[in-house]
Amino acid sequence: RRAKRRARERKVGRGGSTMADKWSDQIRACGLFFISIVVLMIIPLVYHCFVFLTALPLWETNPASCVILLLCFHLLFFLLLMSYWKTIFTDAGGVPYELDEAWISELNLANRFGLEAEVSERVSEVSETSPLTVQSAERKLDGRQRYCRKCRKFKPDRAHHCKYCGRCVLKMDHHCPWVNNCIGFRNYKFFMLFCSYATMTSFYVALTLFTGFVNLLVQRRTIEFGWVEFEYLVVFGLMAAVSVVLTGFTGFHFMLLLKNMSTIEHVEKRDPTKKDQVNPFDLGRERNWGQIFGDNPWLWFIPVGETRGDGVHWETNEAVQANAQDV
């Protein structure tokens, strides 16, 4: 009976993993589809409507307005595309191999039998910044360190397993189908800039088109509805909807950023058992901001640079932790 039960469990396990793999492949295909929509349809449509149908026709009557509109639009547009590119092609960050269960077991055996010379120098000379010296602030209810059974790795603080990417991601926020990538430790700044510039660009385009509509109504011109007018309405409606949605979405993420909290951690805090727990990673708004955008204000709003830290070791607010332990 035990043999039959184990055979059933293995069969279910294989079937479950197959279904999970198929689901992950479908999500990745949807991500590529969303990127294709943005790159091949939305961006060219908005660019054509704003540049060729709105700004350039003003050159004969008001060249100054034409130049200002084009300069502002192309500045936002360039930063938007650059942030989008960096968000897509920057790896969110994976858990280092030193936290692999088999590797740690090999290291423990080497240390136990005095065979440190048989392992690599990188591991034999363990430093304070090595992933092997992780002091976790997040642990299971029984006090054990968090462990991923799928990756077979010990998870550092704030790391979570992404079923779509098939691995654990450092400081995972969420998996975004619009960029076909996980948003995590290494690309969170680029994601925030992408959302910010997408919001500003859509709002700028919608406001400019709306101003043009108002001028037509004030001047009481006769409007003949054709393909040009149809494109105006489509782009205006699209940009207005995107600006409204992204304003709330981007504002929500800036709120999390200033609290040094990811979306997953925000959702977990809704759990009644964790509702009263304080956030040990909240270092204050200024330091939380610097942790993502860096210390150089000139680079805050440019999609370049790397996030401070290694994604494994996290600075915690010792005062907050002390208060939590007292409670």
Side-chain angles (χ1 to χ4, degrees):
R1 290 181 181 178
R2 290 179 180 176
K4 290 182 180 179
R5 190 181 303 118
R6 289 175 182 172
R8 286 196 214 101
E9 289 176 355
R10 289 196 208 100
K11 192 178 295 184
V12 171
R14 286 197 296 267
S17 62
T18 303
M19 290 296 294
D21 294 338
K22 290 182 178 179
W23 179 249
S24 299
D25 293 339
Q26 292 175 356
I27 293 296
R28 285 185 172 277
C30 289
L32 295 175
F33 176 70
F34 288 143
I35 292 177
S36 301
I37 290 178
V38 173
V39 174
L40 300 179
M41 295 180 62
I42 297 179
I43 291 178
L45 179 65
V46 173
Y47 189 88
H48 177 266
C49 180
F50 189 90
V51 174
F52 294 100
L53 300 183
T54 304
L56 289 180
L58 294 175
W59 178 257
E60 296 181 357
T61 58
N62 194 344
S65 298
C66 176
V67 172
I68 293 174
L69 286 175
L70 289 176
L71 285 177
C72 294
F73 175 77
H74 281 94
L75 177 61
L76 290 174
F77 195 68
F78 173 76
L79 292 172
L80 168 62
L81 292 182
M82 190 175 175
S83 302
Y84 191 47
W85 174 274
K86 295 284 284 187
T87 306
I88 293 174
F89 293 104
T90 301
D91 183 52
V95 177
Y97 77 93
E98 290 97 332
L99 294 179
D100 185 273
E101 181 184 26
W103 183 260
I104 293 178
S105 299
E106 181 180 350
L107 176 63
N108 290 335
L109 287 173
N111 291 331
R112 180 178 178 182
F113 294 101
L115 300 175
E116 290 87 349
E118 300 296 329
V119 298
S120 65
E121 295 180 359
R122 181 180 176 186
V123 178
S124 60
E125 297 178 2
V126 178
S127 62
E128 294 182 357
T129 59
S130 171
L132 297 173
T133 61
V134 176
Q135 298 295 327
S136 298
E138 298 177 341
R139 289 184 176 270
K140 294 183 178 181
L141 295 177
D142 57 5
R144 293 183 300 169
Q145 189 173 355
R146 297 162 63 238
Y147 176 77
C148 179
R149 295 182 178 179
K150 296 180 180 179
C151 297
R152 295 189 176 183
K153 290 184 177 182
F154 290 97
K155 293 193 290 186
D157 290 339
R158 320 188 79 175
H160 296 275
H161 186 86
C162 176
K163 59 182 179 182
Y164 308 122
C165 296
R167 63 168 186 163
C168 287
V169 177
L170 297 176
K171 195 196 173 185
M172 179 179 173
D173 190 87
H174 67 286
H175 185 91
C176 180
W178 288 102
V179 299
N180 197 34
N181 194 7
C182 257
I183 307 302
F185 171 68
R186 301 195 185 281
N187 63 352
Y188 190 67
K189 173 188 176 180
F190 306 137
F191 172 74
M192 292 299 301
L193 292 178
F194 165 63
C195 292
S196 301
Y197 289 127
T199 304
M200 288 188 284
T201 303
S202 58
F203 183 79
Y204 178 71
V205 173
L207 183 62
T208 303
L209 296 181
F210 179 75
T211 304
F213 294 148
V214 172
N215 289 334
L216 290 177
L217 295 176
V218 171
Q219 297 175 6
R220 297 182 179 180
R221 293 183 182 179
T222 303
I223 302 176
E224 297 181 0
F225 194 81
W227 285 107
V228 174
E229 289 73 19
F230 178 74
E231 184 174 339
Y232 268 116
L233 289 177
V234 170
V235 173
F236 173 74
L238 180 63
M239 292 295 97
V242 170
S243 61
V244 170
V245 172
L246 283 184
T247 297
F249 182 78
T250 306
F252 168 74
H253 273 280
F254 269 110
M255 179 200 69
L256 294 181
L257 185 151
L258 294 176
K259 293 182 178 180
N260 205 337
M261 184 182 296
S262 66
T263 301
I264 294 178
E265 292 166 352
H266 176 75
V267 173
E268 288 178 344
K269 200 170 179 61
R270 295 181 180 178
D271 187 346
T273 60
K274 300 181 179 180
K275 188 175 182 180
D276 297 330
Q277 291 183 2
V278 292
N279 180 16
F281 308 109
D282 188 358
L283 308 175
R285 293 186 176 183
E286 184 176 349
R287 296 176 66 184
N288 294 342
W289 176 277
Q291 197 175 81
I292 301 298
F293 289 97
D295 300 322
N296 188 353
W298 295 101
L299 300 179
W300 282 352
F301 306 108
I302 302 177
V304 295
E306 296 182 355
T307 305
R308 185 196 304 167
D310 59 1
V312 176
H313 301 84
W314 291 97
E315 185 180 2
T316 58
N317 189 328
E318 297 178 356
V320 172
Q321 282 191 310
N323 293 334
Q325 292 175 356
D326 292 340
V327 174

